[in-house]
Amino acid sequence: MINFLLLISRQGKTRLTKWYQTYSAKEKARTVREITSTVLARALKMCNFVEWRDKKIVYKRYASLFFVACIDQDDNELITLEKIHLFVEVLDRYFGNVCELDIIFNFHKAYYILDELFIGGELQESSKKEVLRVCSQMDDLMEEAKEEAANGNQGPSRRR
Amino acid sequence: MSIRLRELIRAVRACKTAAEERGVVAQECARIRTAFKEEDTEFRNRNVAKLLFIHMLGYPSHFGQMECIKLITSPNYMDKRIGYLGLTLLLTDQEEVLMLVTNSLKVDMHSSNMFVAGLSLTTVGNLATPDIARDLMMEVEKHLRGGRPYLVKKAALCCIRILRHLPEHVEDFMERIMEVLKDRHHGVLVAGVQLITAVVESDPKEYAPAFASVAPSLVKMLRNLLSVGYAPEHDVAGVSDPFLQVHILRLLRLLGQHAEGVTDTMSDALAQVASNTETAKNAGNAILYECVQTIMTLDTENGLKVLAVNILGRFLLNRDNNIRYVALNTLGKVVQLDPASVQRHRSTIVDCLKDPDISIRQRALELIHQLVNESTVVSLTREMLNYLVVAMPEHKAQLCDKITAAAERYAPDRRWRIETLITMLSIAGSHCNERITSGTIMYIGQCKEFHGQAVHKLAAALQEDMVAAPSGLMKVAVWCIGEFADLLASPQDAFPAVEGGSAMCPAQDAMPHEEIIDLLEDLLNHHSATASSRSSALTALAKASYRLGEGLGEDGKARVEEMLEGYRSSITLELQQRSCEYLNLLSPQWDVVKKEALDRMPVMDEEAFRERRARYTMGAGMGAFDDAPGAGDRSPKPQASASSSAPAAGPSPSKNGLPIPSCSSNGGGDLLDLEDIFGGGGGSAPAAATAAAVSPAVAAAAAPGAGNGAAAAAAAGGVDLLADVFGGGGGLVPSKAAPANTAAPGPGPVAVGGDSDDFGGFEVAPPREEKMVAFDKSGLRVVFSPSKPDASDPSKSKVSIAFTNTSDEEISGLVFQAAVPKSFTMKMGALSGHNLPPHSDGVVSQEINVTNAMQGTKSLMMKLKIQFRRGTVNVAEVAQVAQFPAGF
């Protein structure tokens, strides 16, 4: 299973973290620091796997972002790369040619998408289409909820 | 006024410095806090979203936890969604607050809105505590049978977490879980397969047979996936749903391994996957990788195994580093099952050691280590040595261990092993631990016929690059040069090559004597020399000078003496002592004992050494292993008891020094833990005994001889800085030392092997210190050394006690009690240990301070109670000690 998932920019900034195991805040910070420096230091042609403590780091760079997943020793590294790719493709379709800025400004949406792909570090859905369909349905629901909230709000609307 | 999330992100991004960013965040946090405090519901949603962003930047955000819980209870979907997101980001399953959301989770799970129920299920799957798992188990189970694929797949993954917390409920879910696999929706299937995998993995013995019945349907599923052709919904690079395939293959492996084994249909399906999968893209390789693992783990037919190994062979030749990595990784698992097939790829694997990628190199190294056997050891060790040159410093130590282990286990001949070890030491000697260096020395010592070649090689390696010589190499070299200086100074014959082992060894020219001394001088003055390496070098110098004998000439002799002389006033006790002793030992008057004192070290019995070391590391007598300068005289050596001649003329400071000379004059004490040699191999005891007998004599004789003899005697007595005190004080010490000379090697008045060990013994040359045997029975001898520590107060006395084991068996569980008459007050120190190895002397000591309230009228008496266990016998003894000297 995936223990955690990180999105790290090439400058070493964290863009998204998702923890599927329990770590204390301190451990999280240290892990992110350690992994960021390890992954960023690797040359382009090297393989996408790094052994880290008793786990394995599988990472892949897409444009300016590193997608990093930490898996158990006996997990399949190659299929993990595919899972990362699946996430990237869904992001790409959802945002339409996704870039780092999309993820910075819509980090919550990236999390929503992630939650449709993985639960507890296990894969939930293998079809991009299905994930995208669900996401757009949920967005519709969000719009409705927003209107509802706006109508329910009597005071002068400061929202838009 | 609340700014929007987008504006906050922009403001943060516009910050040019970290301080500026902190300012913006702090300001916003303050606003958010105020809004929370004012129970602002209108912007709660937005504030939590902003807080999540701030949290991601690494700032504290715990104050938002309660707001998330409030958002979750809102009926509005937008609020709920951000609330649940906040919950999973800001909280871990360790926090008590989570209890508060149990009810909301339950309510939402019952929601008719599929997405609201989905939110709740996702949260449970990511975050549930055992309590939440128990409370919501039924709801999740309901969704598992509910029928809506969107919720079934989420519920299935939820179950993984729930059942991990509550393994006792697996039975209840069993039937339901099997049903999941009947669905046609791929999301549901992949979730179901992962759920079963997780359950089986949690206890394979219990659950593999229970789920064995799903194997046929898994095989069927796999076949369908292979035959389906193009399915746009689940196609990845021309492969139909690689995710599902991989997870099915993995589950089949688990089931086959722990339950029914391999059926024909399973083999067929595996063969089909192995031969029909597209390998151009990563997705296909992921499936093949999983499939190969399954084939190799399961008891499949040989044809299939060959197919799998061939796939790995192809992987290994792949240009993609990822594929090569997994190939090496899998071969590492396969190598135990089928070494022959992996050996075929040896050269490719060896090439991987040269890869720039550390992940690949590490995997290759692991694999190579496993491939070493009698026939490959020579070539593979050579590769490992090559790699050692370029390996990262932090991996060198581990690599050295591997090479040593390989050489030890599979060495084709002795010379090859010595050569390999020497080469390794010269490449990475500073990364080798003590065990490797002392093991090398031991091994060289054992191989008599190669002593000459070894010492020549070591000397050559040193000469090649003296400045950068690694410490491990220097350690071994210095020992060998000391031991075999005569061989180094004579030409060595060539050795022919051994087939499948050592290469030809060319003849070596004799090394000129001056060069040998040069080498030792360089080692002595090396920039990285430590006290312990210097003391070894001094010993080597003494030994070399003796071995080279007349060949050294007057000049050479003078040089050696000059070098030794240089350490005569060293502030390091050990060096000073050695210097003084060797200078004396090399003078003509000791020609009689020189041979024995500086003779070659006896060959070590490796077995006995190991055994002893193991025993020591477990037991309490660790003192003997310390080679820190101070420790030498704290732990009198076992062999000292063998020499009954021990301290000459009682009240001489020289007797304090007995343990050290006995050790150091034998040379290389620091290198090899002499104690072990003597204690372990009984045969070598005579040599030890003579050496021990010689030393005190040397030390004592030094006193009247040299001009500043007093200082020399004091130095030998284990005092370094205090030497000046003696030298200056004059009168007392020489007069004390003089009788020592006359009494020299014969048994002293108090023929006790042990010694008063501790530093208290030489506080300004205590004038009154005598030894008395207080107890000597049942294999235990207790020796008292009473003294008056405070010259101004005669009522105070100190008794140092040394325990000696005179039996052949180990003494353990020693308990020592003492009682004094009422007019005395007594303060007992702690026993320094409770175990005494056979024939050990002074390993355990104790100190008692007594004050006599009726000084002058009553004298000291003691009653002792001693209990211990000798071998298997329990001993309890009582004794009385009344023969204290007058004045106590």
Side-chain angles (χ1 to χ4, degrees), chain B residues 57-326:
Chain B
L57 295 175
Y59 296 91
S61 52
H62 48 272
F63 57 88
Q65 293 176 353
M66 281 313 292
E67 299 304 308
C68 294
I69 294 172
K70 286 179 197 159
L71 280 176
I72 289 170
T73 52
S74 153
N76 186 298
Y77 180 70
M78 193 169 61
D79 286 349
K80 239 185 223 318
R81 205 178 187 196
I82 216 75
Y84 277 120
L85 179 62
L87 200 68
T88 47
L89 290 183
L90 300 184
L91 272 74
T92 66
D93 62 2
Q94 301 297 303
E95 268 141 306
E96 302 264 313
V97 204
L98 267 184
M99 261 174 46
L100 301 176
V101 287
T102 314
N103 199 44
S104 313
L105 284 168
K106 197 173 221 162
V107 171
D108 286 342
M109 221 174 267
H110 284 295
S111 165
S112 58
N113 185 330
M114 169 170 98
F115 295 111
V116 173
L119 276 179
S120 169
L121 279 170
T122 308
T123 309
V124 172
N126 282 336
L127 207 64
T129 62
D131 287 335
I132 294 182
R134 193 167 290 117
D135 290 340
L136 298 180
M137 199 169 64
M138 293 323 291
E139 278 72 18
V140 173
E141 208 256 345
K142 200 194 93 204
H143 280 298
L144 201 56
R145 67 169 93 234
R148 271 177 162 167
Y150 179 75
L151 293 177
V152 175
K153 67 185 184 190
K154 281 189 192 281
L157 295 180
C158 254
C159 279
I160 295 182
R161 193 176 180 98
I162 290 177
L163 296 179
R164 205 168 275 157
H165 283 312
L166 313 168
E168 67 274 18
H169 287 284
V170 172
E171 300 287 334
D172 306 338
F173 279 81
M174 199 84 101
E175 208 178 308
R176 211 28 251 153
I177 293 173
M178 308 251 206
E179 292 289 302
V180 173
L181 289 190
K182 295 197 176 128
D183 208 295
R184 298 183 61 107
H185 187 280
H186 278 224
V188 175
L189 287 177
V190 90
V193 171
Q194 288 176 105
L195 170 57
I196 297 176
T197 308
V199 170
V200 174
E201 266 175 352
S202 70
D203 187 354
K205 281 205 185 69
E206 175 83 24
Y207 299 123
F211 282 103
S213 59
V214 300
S217 54
L218 288 174
V219 172
K220 208 169 133 207
M221 236 186 271
L222 197 57
R223 284 168 161 259
N224 280 342
L225 283 172
L226 290 172
S227 60
V228 73
Y230 182 69
E233 183 91 341
H234 300 104
D235 182 82
V236 178
V239 181
S240 177
D241 206 339
F243 305 103
L244 186 53
Q245 288 198 43
V246 165
H247 286 295
I248 290 175
L249 285 166
R250 186 180 172 142
L251 181 53
L252 281 177
R253 175 160 84 238
L254 261 179
L255 294 177
Q257 200 179 353
H258 297 284
E260 54 177 333
V262 193
T263 57
D264 284 349
T265 47
M266 205 195 274
S267 302
D268 283 353
L270 289 175
Q272 212 180 335
V273 174
S275 44
N276 291 352
T277 304
E278 178 69 45
T279 58
K281 289 277 164 55
N282 181 55
N285 286 325
I287 297 173
L288 277 180
Y289 173 41
E290 200 68 41
C291 184
V292 166
Q293 285 186 329
T294 303
I295 292 174
M296 294 313 288
T297 312
L298 295 185
D299 191 18
T300 47
E301 56 198 79
N302 277 338
L304 208 50
K305 287 222 156 109
V306 171
L307 187 63
V309 172
N310 285 343
I311 292 175
L312 288 179
R314 255 189 292 142
F315 273 13
L316 209 50
L317 296 171
N318 202 304
R319 292 222 323 280
D320 185 347
N321 270 338
N322 289 343
I323 309 292
R324 286 204 293 157
Y325 176 89
V326 297

Side-chain angles (χ1 to χ4, degrees), chain B residues 292-293 295-297 305 308-309 312 316 326-346 349 363-373 376 380 402 409-410:
Chain B
V292 166
Q293 285 186 329
I295 292 174
M296 294 313 288
T297 312
K305 287 222 156 109
V309 172
L312 288 179
L316 209 50
V326 297
L328 290 169
N329 195 19
T330 323
L331 286 172
K333 292 175 193 159
V334 169
V335 70
Q336 270 104 11
L337 306 166
D338 188 4
S341 60
V342 184
Q343 291 285 5
R344 258 191 291 143
H345 301 292
R346 208 170 59 227
I349 296 167
R363 282 289 122 225
L365 185 64
E366 283 295 322
L367 193 50
I368 285 177
H369 179 58
Q370 287 178 301
L371 285 178
V372 174
N373 61 23
T376 58
L380 289 183
K402 288 205 161 100
R409 198 146 163 225
Y410 298 113

Side-chain angles (χ1 to χ4, degrees), chain A residues 69-128:
Chain A
C70 170
I71 55 170
D72 295 330
Q73 275 292 345
D74 54 349
D75 279 337
N76 188 325
E77 298 91 347
L78 298 179
I79 203 70
T80 309
L81 275 180
E82 281 305 315
K83 287 177 185 174
I84 290 177
H85 189 70
L86 185 71
F87 180 39
V88 173
E89 280 203 86
V90 173
L91 285 175
D92 195 54
R93 300 259 184 98
Y94 182 85
F95 288 107
N97 207 357
V98 70
C99 68
E100 195 184 336
L101 277 182
D102 288 324
I103 294 175
I104 296 172
F105 283 100
N106 297 296
F107 68 93
H108 49 299
K109 290 187 180 161
Y111 277 114
Y112 296 147
I113 294 174
L114 195 59
D115 275 343
E116 293 306 316
L117 273 174
F118 301 101
I119 290 182
E122 310 276 3
L123 186 71
Q124 182 189 162
E125 179 58 62
S126 55
S127 156
K128 283 173 287 215

